[in-house]
Amino acid sequence: MVDAVVIGSGPNGLVAANVLADAGWSVEVLEEQDEPGGAVRSDREVHPAYVNDLFSSFYPLAAVSPVLAALHLEREGLRWSHAPRVLAHPLLDGSCAVLDRDRAVTAECLDGFAPGDGQGWLDLCGIWDRLGDDIVASLFSPFPPVLAGGKLLARLRAAGGLRLARRLLLPVRRLGEEEFTGEGGRLLLAGNALHADLAPEAAGSGGFGWLMAMLGQFHGFPVPVGGAGALTAALAGRLEARGGRVRCGQSVSEVVVRQGRAVGVRTSTGDAVPARRAVLADVSAPGLYGALVAPEHLPGRLLDDMRRFQWDFATFKVDWALDGPVPWESPAAATAGTVHLAEGVDELSRWASQIARGLIPDRPFLLFGQMTTADATRSPRGTESAWAYTHVPQTVKADAGADGLSGAWGRGEQERMADRVEEQVERYAPGFRGRVRARRILAPPTLRAADRNLHHGAINGGTAAMHQQLVFRPVPGTGRPETPVKGLYLASASAHPGGGVHGAPGANAARAALRSTRATAAALSAAQRMMSRRDS
C-alpha cells in the first residue's frame, strides 16, 4: 500500500506527486492514457521529421512558477528556448504589433501605431515592476494568499490603490481604449486576454490580458527544447528517481470512500489501489464530483453547484509540417513564436459574440504557433513545425459560415473547419497552403479522447470568468483543494488558481494533504500524552 494515489499524470498530477515524494511519501500515479503528460505531450505523428505538440506549447506561467522552480527540473535535463520575438499581431494593411522581451522595442513598435503609445506601454510595464513579484506570489499561493496577499495589498495602495484596481478589473476593450490611441497596444492586450475564454467586453479581461502581456514582456513565452513532452519527461523522471511510480493505461473508475474518507481508488478493470494517507485527483471538477466520487458521499449543495459549473470554450486545433517558413506579409511576424490572427479588436469581439451565441465562427481568431522558430530542434532547417487553434462553442447551434457545420465533428466537418482555419492564415500569409507537407486535425472530440479533462477541448479546466475564480473555483466555497471527503484533494486546473502549466493546483493539493497528516499526527500525539498523564 502506498501513502498516496494520484489520479492523472498531467503537470498538476506530476507536481503533486513530486511534492509528496519530497516529503518522504510513497506515491503512485495512475494515468488512463498510454503515456503520461495529460495536455503536455509531443509526438512525430504529423510527419516523422517534425516534432509537434499535441496540446499546449508555450509556457509563460511555467517561466515564473515558484512551484516548478523549486523542483529544479534543469537537473532532469529540461531546457527552455525562446523565439526571437515573443508575439506578433499582424494586420492586413501590413502593420504588425510586436511584443519583444526588450520593452523599448515593444514601445517603439507601438509608437508606430500612434505617437505616445510607447510611453503608455512603458507605464504598464512600470506597474509590473512594482507589483509583479507579489502578483506571482499571490497567484500561486493557496487561497487565501494571506502573506503574499498582504504584501500585494500594501504595494497596491502605494501604486495607486483603487484607481489601479479599477484598471485591472476593466474589460480589455476599455483598458486598451484608456491606455492607447492606436490599435497596436489594444491588440496586444486583447489578444492575450483571449488566451482564456474572456471576451473583450468581459469584466476582468483587462487584468488578465495585462498579466499575460507582462509575462511575455518580462519572461517571454518559452518552450521546452525538443517538445512539450520534455517537460513531462523531466517531471516523471524526477518522481521516479525519488521512488514514485507512474502507471499508464490505468483508468480510474471510482474513488473508494469508507466512513467519509478516501481510502484508495478502483480501476476500470476492477483492481483496487489502496492509499494509506490521501488520494489526489488531477481530474476536472465534474469528473470528480458525482462521477469518480459517488453522489451519496457528497453534500447536496455541492452537487447542485456542479450543475452550474461552466466550462471554458471548446477548442479546434490543426498541426502542420511546413516545407518552408510561413510567408507572412508582415516580416515582423516571421520572428515571433506566437502569432495572433484577427483584424482588430472589433473582429475579436465579433468572434467572441458568435461563440457566446452558439455559432461556429466564420472568421476564427487564431493563435498560431511557430515552433521551429521558437526551438530549432523541432524540424529540419528551413522548415517549420506549426499549429493553430481557435475556439468554438461547447454547444453548437449553427454555423456562422457557409459550410453548414453542425458541431457533430465528423470527418467531413473536421476537414471543412481545418480548411477555414487555413483560409484565415492565408489572409495574412498568402501562399501558406502551398507550404503544407502534412496536417493533423484535433477536433473537440479528438482532444477529449486524448485527455478526458479536455471536455470538448476545454483547456482551462473551467471558465476563467470572475464568477468561477478565487473563492468561486470550482464552486462557491473556500477556493482550496480540500473536498468534502476526508483525504481527497482536487489537484487539477478546476481548482484555484486555474488553467495554465504552472503546477500550482497540484502543489496546493499536495501541501494540503501534508498539512492534514501533520495535524492528525499532532492531535493523536496530544491525545496519547493526555492519556499517559491520566494513567500516571
Side-chain angles (χ1 to χ4, degrees), residues 55-215:
F55 312 102
S56 57
S57 287
F58 291 93
Y59 300 122
L61 289 166
V64 298
S65 170
V67 170
L68 293 181
L71 298 180
H72 299 288
L73 295 177
E74 69 279 359
R75 298 173 184 170
E76 307 301 323
L78 180 66
R79 294 183 294 131
W80 296 98
S81 181
H82 291 265
R85 287 173 169 159
V86 179
L87 184 149
H89 195 134
L91 296 172
L92 293 176
D93 64 5
S95 61
C96 186
V98 171
L99 179 59
D100 189 281
R101 281 191 287 163
D102 183 338
R103 71 178 79 183
V105 173
T106 307
E108 182 180 6
C109 169
L110 299 187
D111 271 332
F113 283 86
D117 277 4
Q119 185 57 52
W121 184 263
L122 295 176
D123 290 343
L124 291 178
C125 291
I127 297 173
W128 186 264
D129 286 331
R130 298 191 295 274
L131 299 179
D133 289 345
D134 294 310
I135 288 174
V136 168
S138 296
L139 181 66
F140 295 124
S141 296
F143 197 85
V146 178
L147 181 59
K151 291 181 179 179
L152 177 59
L153 287 174
R155 292 187 185 274
L156 185 65
R157 285 194 293 268
L162 289 176
R163 288 177 178 81
L164 177 56
R166 172 193 171 274
R167 290 164 93 181
L168 300 182
L169 290 174
L170 285 172
V172 75
R173 173 183 286 276
R174 181 59 191 167
L175 179 63
E177 290 169 351
E178 291 189 4
E179 301 299 327
F180 302 106
T181 302
E183 190 80 349
R186 298 174 181 182
L187 284 172
L188 292 184
L189 293 177
N192 275 296
L194 284 166
H195 283 221
D197 62 323
L198 298 174
E201 290 72 35
S205 60
F208 187 84
W210 172 77
L211 169 66
M212 292 299 295
M214 291 300 105
L215 290 176

Side-chain angles (χ1 to χ4, degrees), residues 491-507:
S492 72
S494 288
H496 172 77
V501 177
H502 45 72

Side-chain angles (χ1 to χ4, degrees), residues 249-488:
Q250 301 293 316
S251 177
V252 173
S253 60
E254 178 189 0
V255 174
V256 180
V257 180
R258 292 185 186 138
Q259 297 180 336
R261 183 173 187 84
V263 296
V265 303
R266 185 169 287 109
T267 70
S268 58
T269 59
D271 293 335
V273 184
R276 186 180 296 109
R277 294 179 170 180
V279 174
L280 289 79
D282 182 11
V283 303
S284 69
L288 180 64
Y289 298 127
L292 292 183
V293 178
E296 59 264 28
H297 300 304
L298 298 169
R301 177 173 292 182
L302 173 61
L303 295 172
D304 186 55
D305 285 338
M306 287 310 304
R307 285 189 282 271
R308 293 172 170 80
F309 180 87
Q310 181 180 346
W311 287 102
D312 43 306
F313 298 153
T315 302
F316 188 99
K317 182 173 182 280
V318 185
D319 295 326
W320 295 283
L322 304 179
D323 62 13
V326 181
W328 300 110
E329 289 253 289
S330 173
T335 57
T338 300
V339 183
H340 292 166
L341 297 179
E343 195 58 19
V345 176
D346 285 348
E347 185 151 306
L348 291 173
S349 292
R350 179 180 180 274
W351 171 81
S353 172
Q354 288 177 336
I355 294 176
R357 290 179 287 138
L359 306 179
I360 297 174
D362 55 348
R363 293 197 301 271
F365 165 54
L366 299 183
L367 285 87
F368 190 99
Q370 301 187 108
M371 303 315 299
T372 309
T373 298
D375 168 19
T377 71
R378 302 297 182 96
S379 68
R381 183 185 295 273
T383 69
E384 188 73 61
S385 171
W387 54 262
Y389 77 77
T390 189
H391 291 302
V392 293
Q394 282 281 337
T395 302
V396 173
K397 296 179 181 177
D399 186 5
D403 297 309
L405 303 179
S406 68
W409 301 120
R411 190 64 197 174
E413 285 202 2
Q414 292 185 30
E415 295 288 346
R416 293 197 297 275
M417 185 64 187
D419 290 344
R420 186 178 298 183
V421 168
E422 291 186 354
E423 288 162 7
Q424 176 74 330
V425 180
E426 280 274 342
R427 296 175 70 199
Y428 300 90
F432 167 78
R433 301 189 82 176
R435 306 240 169 135
V436 176
R437 179 179 293 182
R439 82 177 182 185
R440 170 173 60 190
I441 301 170
L442 298 171
T446 319
L447 293 165
R448 171 67 174 74
D451 183 341
R452 197 188 298 193
N453 284 347
L454 304 181
H455 183 78
H456 288 186
I459 57 179
N460 282 317
T463 181
M466 292 177 66
H467 63 268
Q468 203 165 287
Q469 290 288 70
L470 303 176
V471 295
F472 307 114
R473 192 168 190 90
V475 297
T478 64
R480 298 186 63 81
E482 290 87 350
T483 75
V485 178
K486 292 180 181 179
L488 175 65

